[in-house]
Amino acid sequence: MSESLEAVLRHHGVVPVVEIVDAATAIGLGRALVAAGLPIVEVTYRTDAAEESIRRLRAEVPELIVGAGTVLDPSTARSATAAGAHFLVSPGYNPAVVAEARDAGVGIVPGAVTPSEIERAREAGFTLLKFFPATASGGIPMVSALAGPYRDVSFMPTGGIRPDTLADWLAVPAVAACGGTWIAPRDDIAAGRFDEIADRARAAAGTRLPATTHNSDHSQR
Ligand code: 3PG
Protein backbone atom coordinates (compact mmCIF):
# COMPACT_ATOMS: atom_id res chain seq x y z
CA MET A 1 0.00 0.00 0.00
CA SER A 2 1.70 3.19 -1.06
CA GLU A 3 -1.05 5.53 0.24
CA SER A 4 -1.54 6.13 3.94
CA LEU A 5 -3.93 3.78 5.68
CA GLU A 6 -6.30 6.63 6.44
CA ALA A 7 -6.36 7.69 2.80
CA VAL A 8 -7.14 4.12 1.75
CA LEU A 9 -9.95 3.83 4.29
CA ARG A 10 -11.43 7.19 3.34
CA HIS A 11 -11.31 6.25 -0.30
CA HIS A 12 -13.32 3.06 0.21
CA GLY A 13 -15.53 4.28 3.07
CA VAL A 14 -16.56 0.77 4.09
CA VAL A 15 -14.60 -2.24 5.30
CA PRO A 16 -16.31 -5.64 5.20
CA VAL A 17 -15.51 -7.37 8.51
CA VAL A 18 -15.49 -11.12 7.99
CA GLU A 19 -15.24 -14.43 9.80
CA ILE A 20 -13.89 -17.14 7.51
CA VAL A 21 -14.40 -20.64 8.78
CA ASP A 22 -12.78 -22.44 5.84
CA ALA A 23 -9.80 -20.78 4.15
CA ALA A 24 -10.86 -22.42 0.89
CA THR A 25 -13.70 -19.88 0.68
CA ALA A 26 -11.39 -16.88 1.04
CA ILE A 27 -10.52 -16.55 -2.63
CA GLY A 28 -14.15 -16.50 -3.76
CA LEU A 29 -14.90 -13.87 -1.17
CA GLY A 30 -11.92 -11.73 -2.14
CA ARG A 31 -12.72 -11.90 -5.85
CA ALA A 32 -16.35 -10.96 -5.19
CA LEU A 33 -15.29 -7.87 -3.25
CA VAL A 34 -12.85 -6.82 -5.96
CA ALA A 35 -15.45 -7.36 -8.68
CA ALA A 36 -17.94 -5.27 -6.69
CA GLY A 37 -15.56 -2.31 -6.52
CA LEU A 38 -14.90 -2.69 -2.79
CA PRO A 39 -11.44 -4.26 -2.76
CA ILE A 40 -10.84 -4.23 0.98
CA VAL A 41 -11.55 -6.66 3.81
CA GLU A 42 -10.86 -7.16 7.51
CA VAL A 43 -10.35 -10.85 8.25
CA THR A 44 -11.03 -11.31 11.94
CA TYR A 45 -9.09 -13.67 14.16
CA ARG A 46 -12.29 -15.23 15.43
CA THR A 47 -11.77 -18.41 13.50
CA ASP A 48 -8.83 -20.77 13.17
CA ALA A 49 -8.78 -20.13 9.44
CA ALA A 50 -7.88 -16.43 9.75
CA GLU A 51 -4.13 -16.72 9.18
CA GLU A 52 -4.42 -19.09 6.23
CA SER A 53 -7.22 -16.97 4.74
CA ILE A 54 -5.06 -13.85 4.88
CA ARG A 55 -2.17 -15.76 3.33
CA ARG A 56 -4.31 -17.04 0.46
CA LEU A 57 -5.94 -13.69 -0.19
CA ARG A 58 -2.56 -11.99 -0.39
CA ALA A 59 -1.24 -14.66 -2.73
CA GLU A 60 -4.26 -15.04 -5.00
CA VAL A 61 -6.15 -11.75 -4.96
CA PRO A 62 -3.44 -9.12 -5.33
CA GLU A 63 -5.92 -6.27 -5.93
CA LEU A 64 -7.43 -6.75 -2.47
CA ILE A 65 -6.35 -4.75 0.59
CA VAL A 66 -6.30 -7.26 3.41
CA GLY A 67 -6.61 -6.24 7.03
CA ALA A 68 -6.51 -8.49 10.07
CA GLY A 69 -9.11 -7.86 12.78
CA THR A 70 -9.65 -8.86 16.39
CA VAL A 71 -5.90 -8.66 16.99
CA LEU A 72 -5.89 -9.00 20.76
CA ASP A 73 -2.32 -10.05 21.54
CA PRO A 74 1.21 -9.88 20.11
CA SER A 75 1.20 -13.46 18.83
CA THR A 76 -1.91 -12.73 16.75
CA ALA A 77 -0.23 -9.59 15.43
CA ARG A 78 2.79 -11.71 14.46
CA SER A 79 0.56 -14.26 12.74
CA ALA A 80 -1.21 -11.54 10.75
CA THR A 81 1.94 -9.75 9.67
CA ALA A 82 3.62 -13.03 8.74
CA ALA A 83 0.60 -13.90 6.60
CA GLY A 84 0.97 -10.57 4.82
CA ALA A 85 -1.81 -8.43 6.28
CA HIS A 86 -1.67 -4.84 5.02
CA PHE A 87 -3.02 -3.50 8.31
CA LEU A 88 -4.21 -4.64 11.73
CA VAL A 89 -7.30 -3.67 13.69
CA SER A 90 -7.88 -4.16 17.41
CA PRO A 91 -11.03 -3.37 19.38
CA GLY A 92 -9.08 -1.66 22.15
CA TYR A 93 -5.67 -0.13 22.76
CA ASN A 94 -3.12 -2.76 23.71
CA PRO A 95 0.46 -1.38 23.96
CA ALA A 96 2.02 -4.81 23.29
CA VAL A 97 -0.01 -5.25 20.11
CA VAL A 98 0.80 -1.73 18.99
CA ALA A 99 4.51 -2.35 19.58
CA GLU A 100 4.41 -5.57 17.58
CA ALA A 101 2.73 -3.84 14.64
CA ARG A 102 5.18 -0.97 14.73
CA ASP A 103 8.15 -3.35 14.86
CA ALA A 104 6.77 -5.10 11.80
CA GLY A 105 6.16 -1.79 10.02
CA VAL A 106 2.47 -2.58 9.57
CA GLY A 107 -0.27 -0.02 10.15
CA ILE A 108 -2.64 -0.65 13.01
CA VAL A 109 -6.00 0.87 13.93
CA PRO A 110 -6.42 0.52 17.70
CA GLY A 111 -9.76 1.11 19.37
CA ALA A 112 -10.85 3.98 21.61
CA VAL A 113 -14.30 5.24 22.60
CA THR A 114 -13.72 7.66 25.50
CA PRO A 115 -11.76 10.90 25.80
CA SER A 116 -9.16 9.28 28.05
CA GLU A 117 -8.69 6.34 25.68
CA ILE A 118 -8.38 8.68 22.72
CA GLU A 119 -5.80 10.80 24.52
CA ARG A 120 -3.76 7.75 25.41
CA ALA A 121 -3.73 6.58 21.80
CA ARG A 122 -3.09 10.07 20.53
CA GLU A 123 -0.14 10.45 22.85
CA ALA A 124 1.29 7.29 21.30
CA GLY A 125 0.97 8.88 17.87
CA PHE A 126 -2.34 7.46 16.67
CA THR A 127 -4.85 9.68 14.93
CA LEU A 128 -6.84 6.94 13.21
CA LEU A 129 -8.83 4.94 15.75
CA LYS A 130 -11.42 2.22 15.67
CA PHE A 131 -14.64 3.26 17.42
CA PHE A 132 -16.08 0.04 18.76
CA PRO A 133 -18.78 -0.94 19.60
CA ALA A 134 -19.98 2.04 17.62
CA THR A 135 -23.72 2.04 18.15
CA ALA A 136 -23.62 0.84 21.75
CA SER A 137 -20.96 3.47 22.58
CA GLY A 138 -23.23 6.34 21.67
CA GLY A 139 -23.40 6.13 17.93
CA ILE A 140 -23.20 9.13 15.63
CA PRO A 141 -23.84 11.73 18.40
CA MET A 142 -20.92 10.34 20.41
CA VAL A 143 -18.42 10.21 17.57
CA SER A 144 -19.47 13.69 16.44
CA ALA A 145 -19.01 15.03 19.96
CA LEU A 146 -15.56 13.43 20.27
CA ALA A 147 -14.53 14.99 16.98
CA GLY A 148 -14.99 18.42 18.59
CA PRO A 149 -11.92 18.48 20.84
CA TYR A 150 -9.93 15.84 18.92
CA ARG A 151 -9.78 17.62 15.62
CA ASP A 152 -6.87 15.60 14.30
CA VAL A 153 -8.47 12.21 15.00
CA SER A 154 -10.39 10.12 12.48
CA PHE A 155 -12.50 7.13 13.40
CA MET A 156 -13.41 3.78 11.97
CA PRO A 157 -16.76 2.96 13.63
CA THR A 158 -17.71 -0.70 13.74
CA GLY A 159 -20.43 -2.56 15.57
CA GLY A 160 -24.11 -2.12 14.85
CA ILE A 161 -23.76 -0.27 11.55
CA ARG A 162 -26.24 -1.37 8.92
CA PRO A 163 -26.98 -0.42 5.29
CA ASP A 164 -29.71 2.02 6.33
CA THR A 165 -27.45 3.90 8.76
CA LEU A 166 -24.23 3.80 6.74
CA ALA A 167 -24.80 7.08 4.87
CA ASP A 168 -25.42 8.97 8.13
CA TRP A 169 -22.19 7.63 9.63
CA LEU A 170 -20.21 8.49 6.51
CA ALA A 171 -21.60 12.02 6.54
CA VAL A 172 -19.63 12.68 9.75
CA PRO A 173 -16.36 14.24 8.56
CA ALA A 174 -14.32 12.54 11.31
CA VAL A 175 -15.46 9.11 10.11
CA ALA A 176 -12.82 7.71 7.77
CA ALA A 177 -14.66 4.47 7.06
CA CYS A 178 -17.19 2.16 8.67
CA GLY A 179 -16.67 -1.51 9.32
CA GLY A 180 -19.40 -4.09 9.42
CA THR A 181 -20.33 -7.71 8.99
CA TRP A 182 -23.54 -7.18 7.03
CA ILE A 183 -21.79 -7.24 3.64
CA ALA A 184 -20.33 -10.70 4.02
CA PRO A 185 -21.92 -12.60 6.91
CA ARG A 186 -20.18 -15.74 8.09
CA ASP A 187 -22.87 -18.09 6.77
CA ASP A 188 -22.88 -16.53 3.30
CA ILE A 189 -19.12 -16.93 3.03
CA ALA A 190 -19.28 -20.52 4.25
CA ALA A 191 -22.04 -21.33 1.75
CA GLY A 192 -20.23 -19.61 -1.13
CA ARG A 193 -23.00 -17.06 -1.70
CA PHE A 194 -20.58 -14.66 -3.36
CA ASP A 195 -23.09 -13.04 -5.74
CA GLU A 196 -25.17 -11.82 -2.80
CA ILE A 197 -22.02 -10.61 -1.06
CA ALA A 198 -20.97 -8.75 -4.22
CA ASP A 199 -24.41 -7.09 -4.46
CA ARG A 200 -24.17 -5.79 -0.88
CA ALA A 201 -20.56 -4.73 -1.40
CA ARG A 202 -21.54 -2.80 -4.53
CA ALA A 203 -24.34 -1.00 -2.68
CA ALA A 204 -22.06 -0.17 0.25
CA ALA A 205 -19.25 1.06 -1.98
CA GLY A 206 -21.59 3.59 -3.56
CA THR A 207 -22.70 5.08 -0.25
CA ARG A 208 -19.84 7.48 0.51
CA LEU A 209 -20.81 11.05 -0.25
CA PRO A 210 -18.44 12.75 -2.66
CA ALA A 211 -15.89 15.27 -1.39
CA THR A 212 -15.92 14.27 2.26
CA THR A 213 -12.61 15.46 3.65
CA HIS A 214 -11.30 15.80 7.16
CA ASN A 215 -8.01 16.80 8.67
CA SER A 216 -4.79 15.38 7.34
CA ASP A 217 -3.47 11.98 6.41
CA HIS A 218 -1.33 9.99 8.75
CA SER A 219 0.66 6.91 8.03
CA GLN A 220 -0.40 5.46 11.43
CA ARG A 221 2.79 3.57 12.15
C1 3PG B 1 -16.53 -6.01 14.63
O1 3PG B 1 -16.08 -7.11 14.43
O2 3PG B 1 -15.84 -5.00 14.59
C2 3PG B 1 -17.98 -5.92 14.95
O3 3PG B 1 -18.36 -6.95 15.78
C3 3PG B 1 -18.85 -5.93 13.73
O4 3PG B 1 -20.10 -5.57 14.16
P1 3PG B 1 -21.41 -5.82 13.28
O5 3PG B 1 -21.59 -7.30 13.23
O6 3PG B 1 -22.51 -5.13 14.05
O7 3PG B 1 -21.19 -5.24 11.93
Side-chain angles (χ1 to χ4, degrees), residues 6 10 147 150-154 173-175 212-217:
E6 180 177 349
R10 280 193 179 275
Y150 305 113
R151 304 183 65 77
D152 57 346
V153 174
S154 291
V175 170
T212 303
T213 56
H214 174 73
N215 307 324
S216 52
D217 283 339

Side-chain angles (χ1 to χ4, degrees), residues 172-194:
V172 178
V175 170
C178 291
T181 57
W182 82 89
I183 294 166
R186 178 182 178 123
D187 290 352
D188 281 3
I189 298 170
R193 289 191 281 269
F194 300 129

Side-chain angles (χ1 to χ4, degrees), residues 50-82:
E51 178 178 322
E52 179 61 16
S53 297
I54 293 169
R55 198 179 303 282
R56 290 195 194 189
L57 286 169
R58 290 290 283 116
E60 313 256 348
V61 193
E63 309 91 332
L64 191 71
I65 298 158
V66 184
T70 321
V71 179
L72 304 182
D73 47 60
S75 67
T76 305
R78 274 193 294 279
S79 157
T81 55

Side-chain angles (χ1 to χ4, degrees), residues 22-122:
D22 178 355
T25 60
I27 307 302
L29 168 68
R31 290 189 178 143
L33 294 175
V34 170
L38 188 60
I40 187 164
V41 70
E42 178 187 322
V43 178
T44 61
Y45 270 80
R46 296 182 200 170
T47 68
D48 293 340
E51 178 178 322
E52 179 61 16
S53 297
I54 293 169
R55 198 179 303 282
R56 290 195 194 189
L57 286 169
R58 290 290 283 116
E60 313 256 348
V61 193
E63 309 91 332
L64 191 71
I65 298 158
V66 184
T70 321
V71 179
L72 304 182
D73 47 60
S75 67
T76 305
R78 274 193 294 279
S79 157
T81 55
H86 289 112
F87 66 96
L88 312 183
V89 182
S90 57
Y93 186 91
N94 181 328
V97 170
V98 165
E100 190 67 44
R102 282 183 160 160
D103 284 353
V106 173
I108 177 164
V109 187
V113 292
T114 68
S116 296
E117 290 167 5
I118 291 168
E119 290 187 24
R120 185 176 185 223
R122 211 170 148 270

Side-chain angles (χ1 to χ4, degrees), residues 17 46 130 132 158-162 180-181:
V17 174
R46 296 182 200 170
K130 177 163 167 138
F132 171 85
T158 307
I161 297 168
R162 297 290 172 262
T181 57

Side-chain angles (χ1 to χ4, degrees), residues 131 134-135 156-166 169 177-182:
F131 183 71
T135 304
M156 182 166 78
T158 307
I161 297 168
R162 297 290 172 262
D164 57 333
T165 57
L166 178 62
W169 279 100
C178 291
T181 57
W182 82 89

